[in-house]
């Protein structure tokens, strides 16, 4: 009896499908621009807070909104609970698309990024906890270093000029999507104290109406926007962090394409809302959250206090070891093999890049130490410093491989037959090879003509000997 044929090994970080590559390029283009704006907003916040600190505090604590509805909030509060709901709406839509049409739709393929993301959250939490336990500090901030900021990471890539291959970018994006999901669960489970059940029930009723409207294909922003605002307000008053409403509505979008549809409703809505999230909502949150005092003594104190040291080590060491170690172990247990065009050093560099935990880390820091403004400022400083160290470390590692990345990226973009589709995706198309044959025949004919001209010129009497 013949032995069973072993199943082929799955390629890790292999080539993306063409539709997935195009969607990824469009999404990351927006996130990269948003990331640069985010960097500018963070720097502006630091300059403002460290030069005109009193005005920064005054504006951040300025309250407005309908008090009768329980929404008389400070500017900083509106940014954290209101604007970030838009960010989490996009995260929810992104996760839904990944689950039904992207990298997470195949359970076997999803194992690697999910395990990597989970390890990339668990190890930083363990690192923080160990540092604070042995340093006699507070373990309340264990979740602060667990988050990855995809926009900030892409901004770093844009600044250092590294053209990562699409497979590595997709891996980074999938890590961030799974990371956002579990960050939302952490916020909902661990940072909810008092629940107003009436408001929560009404919020769920609003979500049910939102879902039904989507399923009956009701169109019109004027229907969904007011309903979304009502759901958000009810969720905020329920005691559960209001950003949960954003991700819940994002997850309800239909992200599969119907007959005759070029893009699903979820893809269209995400395409419309993503620039608002990346270019306005997240930068404004950064502007009113990243403004912390960065005196020499304050920065030095980051490495002497267990809570802040735990955040820095969690982001820089925990994230890198967690993601790289989780990925390596997952490939061993799933019999996956790394793309032959890449090396494990590339995975390590991306793992280090994922240590940039800006937006959600700042948010969790505020929630973890509510009421202790001094500690919140110190935690924010540690998030900024840890993210900066991770950015510099990953930048150095990625620069070491920049020539390889550019060669792979150029190969992915090459469209020699000018069909609008990169050549690497047309290798199984007979028409592509016929077009290339015609191109080469025209080039050969031109070279023969030039050769004849050169030969005729060399045979002239006055031609040089």
């Amino acid at each position: 009896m013949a032995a069973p044929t072993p199943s082929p090994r799955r390629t890790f970080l292999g080539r993306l499908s063409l539709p997935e590559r195009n969607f990824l390029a469009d999404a990351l283009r927006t996130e990269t621009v948003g990331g640069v704006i985010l960097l500018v907003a963070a720097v502006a916040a630091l300059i403002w807070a460290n030069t005109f600190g009193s005005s920064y505090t005054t504006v951040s604590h300025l309250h407005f909104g309908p008090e009768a509805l329980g929404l008389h909030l400070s500017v900083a509060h509106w940014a954290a609970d209101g604007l970030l709901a838009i960010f989490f709406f996009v995260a929810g839509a992104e996760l839904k698309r990944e689950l039904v049409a992207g990298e997470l739709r195949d359970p076997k393929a999803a194992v690697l990024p999910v395990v990597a993301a989970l390890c990339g959250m668990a190890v930083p939490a363990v690192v923080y906890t160990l540092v604070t336990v042995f340093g006699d500090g507070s373990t309340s901030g264990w979740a602060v270093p667990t988050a990855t900021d995809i926009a900030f990471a892409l901004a770093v890539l844009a600044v250092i000029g590294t053209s990562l291959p699409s497979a590595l970018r997709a891996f980074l994006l999938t890590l961030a999507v799974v990371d956002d999901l579990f960050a939302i669960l952490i916020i909902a489970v661990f940072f909810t104290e008092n629940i107003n059940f009436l408001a929560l029930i009404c919020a769920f009723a609003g979500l049910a109406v939102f879902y039904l409207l989507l399923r009956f294909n009701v169109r019109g922003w004027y229907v969904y926007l007011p309903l979304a605002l009502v759901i958000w307000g009810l969720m905020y008053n329920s005691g559960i962090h209001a950003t949960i409403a954003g991700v819940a509505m994002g997850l309800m979008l239909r992200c599969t394409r119907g007959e005759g549809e070029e893009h699903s409703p979820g893809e269209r809505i995400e395409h419309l809302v993503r620039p608002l999230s990346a270019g306005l909502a997240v930068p404004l949150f950064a502007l009113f959250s990243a403004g912390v005092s960065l005196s020499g003594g304050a920065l030095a104190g980051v490495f002497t206090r267990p809570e802040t040291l735990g955040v820095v080590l969690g982001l820089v060491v925990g994230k890198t070891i967690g993601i790289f170690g989780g990925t390596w172990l997952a490939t061993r247990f799933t019999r996956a093999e790394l793309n032959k065009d890449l090396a494990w050093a590339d995975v390590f560099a991306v793992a280090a890049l994922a240590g940039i935990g800006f937006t959600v880390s700042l948010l969790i820091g505020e929630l973890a130490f509510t009421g202790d403004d001094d500690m919140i400022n110190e935690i924010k400083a540690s998030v900024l410093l840890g993210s900066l160290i991770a950015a510099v470390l990953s930048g150095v590692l990625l620069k070491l491989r920049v020539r390889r990345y550019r060669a792979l990226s150029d190969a992915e973009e090459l469209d020699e037959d000018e069909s609008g589709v990169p050549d690497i995706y047309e290798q199984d198309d007979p028409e592509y090879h016929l077009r290339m044959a015609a191109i080469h025949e025209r080039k050969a004919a031109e070279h023969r003509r030039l050769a004849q001209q050169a030969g005729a010129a060399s045979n002239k009497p006055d031609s040089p000997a």
Side-chain angles (χ1 to χ4, degrees):
M1 183 177 179
T5 304
S7 58
R9 301 185 69 180
R10 182 180 298 275
T11 301
F12 171 51
L13 297 179
R15 187 193 309 160
L16 303 177
S17 66
L18 185 59
E20 184 69 13
R21 173 193 172 276
N22 292 339
F23 180 87
L24 178 76
D26 183 58
L28 293 187
R29 192 178 302 113
T30 303
E31 289 289 355
T32 301
V33 173
V36 174
I37 299 173
L38 178 62
L39 278 173
V40 172
V43 172
L46 291 172
I47 294 173
W48 187 4
N50 286 276
T51 53
F52 304 100
S54 59
S55 65
Y56 181 84
T57 302
T58 300
V59 174
S60 297
H61 293 167
L62 179 66
H63 282 66
F64 67 95
E67 192 166 357
L69 298 178
L71 297 174
H72 189 67
L73 311 177
S74 68
V75 171
H77 209 161
W78 276 110
D81 285 79
L83 292 177
L84 278 194
I86 301 173
F87 166 79
F88 279 110
F89 173 80
V90 174
E94 199 167 51
L95 176 62
K96 179 66 174 291
R97 200 201 70 83
E98 286 286 332
L99 288 170
V100 301
E103 292 295 293
L104 301 180
R105 71 186 183 280
D106 180 0
K108 292 182 179 179
V111 168
L112 278 166
V114 170
V115 169
L118 288 175
C119 291
M121 298 186 80
V123 176
V126 171
V127 169
Y128 175 93
T129 303
L130 289 175
V131 172
T132 52
V133 167
F134 286 106
D136 196 24
S138 171
T139 58
S140 299
W142 63 270
V144 174
T146 60
T148 293
D149 194 308
I150 183 64
F152 222 132
L154 292 173
V156 170
L157 292 178
V159 169
I160 65 176
T162 299
S163 300
L164 276 187
S166 58
L168 281 175
R169 287 178 178 263
F171 180 59
L172 180 61
L173 180 61
T174 306
L175 280 176
V177 168
V178 178
D179 196 292
D180 287 339
L181 169 65
F182 285 100
I184 292 161
L185 293 176
I186 287 172
I187 291 171
V189 174
F190 295 99
F191 298 106
T192 300
E193 295 180 358
N194 300 315
I195 297 180
N196 181 333
F197 285 99
L198 178 60
L200 184 60
I201 291 171
C202 292
F204 278 125
L207 288 171
V209 173
F210 189 89
Y211 176 82
L212 290 173
L213 290 173
L214 288 172
R215 288 301 168 266
F216 284 106
N217 293 320
V218 176
R219 297 177 179 270
W221 63 267
Y222 46 83
V223 175
Y224 291 100
L225 183 57
L227 178 58
L229 291 174
V230 170
I231 294 170
W232 175 86
L234 289 168
M235 190 69 75
Y236 175 83
N237 281 285
S238 73
I240 294 177
H241 202 270
T243 53
I244 304 300
V247 72
M249 287 184 279
L251 285 169
M252 290 180 181
L253 298 178
R254 177 169 66 83
C255 294
T256 53
R257 299 175 187 177
E259 186 177 351
E261 288 184 333
E262 185 177 353
H263 301 288
S264 68
E267 289 174 327
R268 290 198 301 270
I269 294 171
E270 184 183 345
H271 180 76
L272 291 172
V273 180
R274 185 186 289 276
L276 178 63
S277 169
L280 182 66
V282 175
L284 280 177
F285 167 76
L287 182 63
F288 292 106
S289 291
V292 296
S293 175
L294 293 179
S295 63
L299 290 176
V302 167
F303 296 100
T304 59
R305 187 158 187 167
E307 294 88 351
T308 51
L309 179 60
V311 169
V312 173
L313 292 178
L315 288 172
V316 178
V317 179
K319 272 288 185 184
T320 306
I321 292 176
I323 292 174
F324 180 79
T327 304
W328 187 86
L329 288 173
T331 56
R332 292 297 176 267
F333 283 105
T334 59
R335 288 181 47 79
E337 59 182 10
L338 185 66
N339 184 346
K340 60 181 177 60
D341 292 327
L342 298 170
W344 281 106
D346 302 316
V347 180
F348 189 85
V350 170
L353 184 65
I356 300 174
F358 187 74
T359 305
V360 179
S361 289
L362 291 177
L363 175 62
I364 294 178
E366 292 180 356
L367 297 174
F369 296 99
T370 300
D372 190 344
D373 290 341
D374 291 337
M375 177 61 82
I376 287 176
N377 283 333
E378 292 177 8
I379 289 293
K380 286 182 178 181
S382 66
V383 169
L384 293 172
L385 190 57
S387 297
L388 177 61
I389 295 172
V392 172
L393 173 63
S394 59
V396 171
L397 294 174
L398 292 169
K399 272 295 186 182
L400 295 175
R401 296 272 291 169
V402 67
R403 290 186 179 179
R404 181 60 177 164
Y405 296 153
R406 285 177 180 165
L408 291 173
S409 183
D410 289 344
E412 288 180 357
E413 298 296 329
L414 182 64
D415 183 17
E416 197 173 359
D417 66 334
E418 299 181 348
S419 65
V421 177
D423 294 345
I424 200 169
Y425 289 96
E426 295 186 300
Q427 297 304 307
D428 295 329
D429 182 5
E431 294 298 322
Y432 161 75
H433 293 288
L434 291 175
R435 288 193 297 270
M436 289 304 301
I439 290 171
H440 287 302
E441 285 167 3
R442 286 196 298 271
K443 288 182 178 180
E446 177 65 13
H447 283 294
R448 281 192 291 268
R449 184 184 67 79
L450 292 174
Q452 290 174 353
Q453 287 183 350
S458 64
N459 291 328
K460 289 182 179 180
D462 56 349
S463 63

